[in-house]
Every structure is written in C-alpha cells, then in structure tokens.
C-alpha cells in the first residue's frame, strides 16, 4: 500500500456501514448517507469512496449504482492502515451547556477517544429531561458520526448516558485507571498518575462548567481514581476534555509517533 495509494485514500470521502451491508464484495450504503453522496457530493457511477465497517476494516470501493434509497459499490481493495489506538479511552463528561457539548463530542472523536459517557454531576448547568433526551442523543450521535468520517476513524466512538454520578462511578470500576482533572490539584500531573500502570482501558472524568465539588473528587478517589493537574491555568470543560485525552494518547499511545 504505497504513497500514491495513501494520498488517493486521504482525499476521498469516507462512509461507515454495518457488516450486513457488505456481501460478496458488494457494499450497499443506506439512509442519510445516500442523499449526501448523490445530492451534496454529487458523486457519479465509477467514482471511488472509502468504506469502513466500524470494526477497523476499510476498503476502497467504486460506485456501481445510485438510487434514491441506496448506493451500491464494488470493493476494489482493502486498505491496510491502522486508524485506531490500542488504548481505549473513556471520557466521562459532566454535562455542560448544549453548544459546548457538541464541540466536545466532535473534538474527542477527532483525537481518538473510544467512548464518551455523559454524566449528570452536582454542578451540571444543563438538565436533560426524558422527553428531550432521545432527540439530543440522536443529534449528538450524528455529530460523532460526521466527525468520525472527517477524521478517518476506523470506528465510531460509542456515546452513552445520561448517567447519574453514582452510576458513572460504578462504570469506572471496570477501567484499569481513572483520572479526574481538578483545579485544586496542584502537584500530580497525568504523566505521574499513569507512570508504572499497565493500562488498556483508561477513564478520564471531566467536570462541567463549575467543575467538581470536593465530595465528588473524594468519591472518585475512593474507587482508586486519581485527581490530576492540567497545569497552572484554569481550563474550560471543553478544553480540559481534549487536553487530558491528548496527553494520555501522547504518553501511552499513537499521538507520540513512537508506537
């Protein structure tokens, strides 16, 4: 898979499909992506697209048919390129205000986070009732999907929630290590917190606009979580999520360029 093919693959639009949409070397794209391919991108028969099965298997495909309800493609070749980190990062995000959430989801997807868990903390300003929850989650999942396509992910990050703080703590017990950026932590860095720990799944708990209450940090530490500092400056919640995830990926995975 040479340089010429890599450049060709980088330039072409990417779409995700389910495994049952690939059969006998033929891919069928369904749903909203059909309109995007035909009306927005104005693709024609014979043009090529990159297709991913959301299990880190990617293919270069040629369009053979465009209909109102589907786009059919032939698989030309499998793309042998590693997109996903071996480290699974789960970001537990205290619910911020709506517009901030959209940016958080987009940027965490781009940087390579495996899963995003939405949590209702004590200082969460945004409250989501049952009637609105499904519609909001649907919109947020679409934001993640579009970001995954744009950033050429091999998988679409999972979105879960909205969890109570107590349920989030229970979920965090399944991780190898959990950290929580906290403005009152002055000495312990992320690098110090992860040193010497064998980590496959990492939890990062980020508070909402008002941060964590001290009792919440104490509860995180009671399940062996570690409060950490992100430096001497106070970061917004949308910045803290991205910075913490990027530092972990740099130190333990594929952002450092040494893997």
């Amino acid at each position: 898979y040479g340089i010429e093919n890599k450049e060709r693959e980088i330039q072409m639009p990417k779409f995700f499909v389910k495994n049952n949409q690939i059969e006998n070397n033929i891919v069928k794209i369904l749903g909203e992506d059909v309109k995007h391919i035909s009306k927005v991108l104005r693709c024609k028969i014979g043009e090529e697209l990159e297709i991913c099965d959301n299990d880190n298997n990617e293919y270069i495909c040629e369009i053979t048919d465009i209909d109102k309800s589907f786009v059919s493609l032939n698989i030309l070749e499998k793309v042998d390129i590693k997109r996903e980190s071996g480290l699974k990062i789960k970001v537990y995000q205290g619910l911020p205000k709506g517009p901030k959430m959209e940016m958080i989801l987009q940027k965490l997807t781009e940087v390579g986070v495996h899963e995003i868990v939405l949590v209702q903390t004590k200082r969460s300003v945004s409250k989501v009732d049952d009637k609105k929850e499904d519609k909001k989650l649907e919109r947020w999942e679409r934001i993640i999907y579009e970001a995954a396509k744009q950033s050429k992910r091999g998988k679409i990050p999972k979105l879960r929630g909205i969890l109570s703080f107590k349920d989030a703590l229970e979920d965090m017990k399944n991780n190898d290590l959990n950290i929580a950026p906290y403005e009152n932590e002055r000495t312990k860095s992320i690098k110090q917190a992860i040193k010497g720990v064998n980590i496959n799944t990492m939890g990062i708990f980020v508070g909402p606009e008002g941060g964590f209450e001290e009792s919440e940090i104490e509860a995180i530490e009671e399940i062996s979580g570690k409060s950490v500092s992100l430096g001497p400056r106070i970061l917004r919640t949308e910045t803290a999520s991205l910075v913490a995830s990027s530092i972990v990926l740099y130190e333990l995975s594929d952002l450092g360029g040494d893997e």
Side-chain angles (χ1 to χ4, degrees):
Y1 192 68
I3 294 175
E4 182 179 342
N5 279 344
K6 286 183 180 179
E7 290 176 350
R8 163 174 159 239
E9 177 269 333
I10 286 170
Q11 293 172 359
M12 71 180 59
K14 179 172 189 171
F15 294 89
F16 288 89
V17 296
K18 296 177 181 178
N19 283 322
N20 61 10
Q21 291 172 248
I22 303 176
E23 188 174 358
N24 297 326
N25 226 42
I26 295 173
V27 179
K28 273 200 173 182
I29 294 178
L30 307 169
E32 293 183 27
D33 285 337
V34 174
K35 183 178 180 181
H36 185 72
I37 291 168
S38 61
K39 303 296 184 183
V40 179
L41 297 177
R42 298 183 180 277
C43 292
K44 307 295 182 185
I45 292 174
E47 293 188 32
E48 296 177 358
L49 300 176
E50 182 185 354
I51 303 298
C52 181
D53 67 356
N54 201 31
D55 195 22
N56 222 17
N57 295 310
E58 305 185 37
Y59 308 91
I60 303 299
C61 300
E62 181 183 32
I63 298 174
T64 57
D65 191 12
I66 299 177
D67 188 80
K68 288 183 179 179
S69 59
F70 69 87
V71 174
S72 184
L73 309 96
N74 279 341
I75 294 176
L76 300 178
E77 61 182 295
K78 187 172 182 179
V79 179
D80 185 19
I81 183 169
K82 185 179 179 182
R83 300 287 193 189
E84 294 300 306
S85 167
L87 173 69
K88 293 182 178 180
I89 293 181
K90 295 168 66 175
V91 173
Y92 299 81
Q93 176 65 54
L95 276 181
K97 294 179 182 177
K100 292 182 180 180
M101 176 61 75
E102 294 180 6
M103 187 175 79
I104 289 169
L105 297 175
Q106 183 186 67
K107 298 309 175 186
L108 290 181
T109 299
E110 290 178 17
V111 80
V113 164
H114 177 74
E115 185 173 349
I116 303 162
V117 183
L118 309 179
V119 186
Q120 191 82 55
T121 64
K122 290 183 179 179
R123 293 183 182 175
S124 291
V125 175
S126 178
K127 305 291 181 183
V128 182
D129 58 43
D130 291 338
K131 293 180 180 178
K132 294 181 179 179
E133 183 172 329
D134 286 345
K135 288 186 177 180
K136 279 196 172 185
L137 288 174
E138 186 177 322
R139 186 175 78 249
W140 290 340
E141 284 175 344
R142 190 68 195 179
I143 289 169
I144 290 173
Y145 177 69
E146 293 297 334
K149 289 198 301 181
Q150 180 274 323
S151 58
K152 301 283 188 175
R153 289 287 300 265
K155 290 186 177 181
I156 303 170
K158 297 177 184 177
L159 178 64
R160 288 200 295 124
I162 299 167
L163 272 61
S164 66
F165 183 80
K166 181 180 179 181
D167 287 343
L169 290 182
E170 283 300 312
D171 191 86
M172 290 166 69
K173 292 177 182 178
N174 298 316
N175 304 328
D176 298 316
L177 178 68
N178 294 290
I179 60 171
Y182 184 45
E183 62 271 19
N184 290 336
E185 174 60 56
R186 304 298 184 188
T187 57
K188 187 184 297 177
S189 68
I190 290 179
K191 188 171 185 177
Q192 291 170 324
I194 63 180
K195 187 176 181 180
V197 182
N198 185 24
I199 305 171
N200 293 309
T201 303
M202 175 93 176
I204 303 174
F205 201 159
V206 179
E209 287 94 341
F212 288 112
E213 290 195 356
E214 188 173 345
S215 61
E216 291 175 319
I217 288 294
E218 290 173 354
I220 291 171
E221 291 176 341
E222 284 176 6
I223 62 163
S224 301
K226 300 179 181 181
S227 60
V228 295
S229 170
L230 294 180
R233 293 166 292 282
I234 303 299
L235 304 182
R236 294 176 183 268
T237 183
E238 62 270 32
T239 310
S241 294
L242 182 61
V243 169
S245 300
S246 299
I247 291 172
V248 170
L249 282 166
Y250 177 84
E251 293 292 340
L252 295 177
S253 189
D254 58 3
L255 290 190
D258 294 324
E259 188 180 57

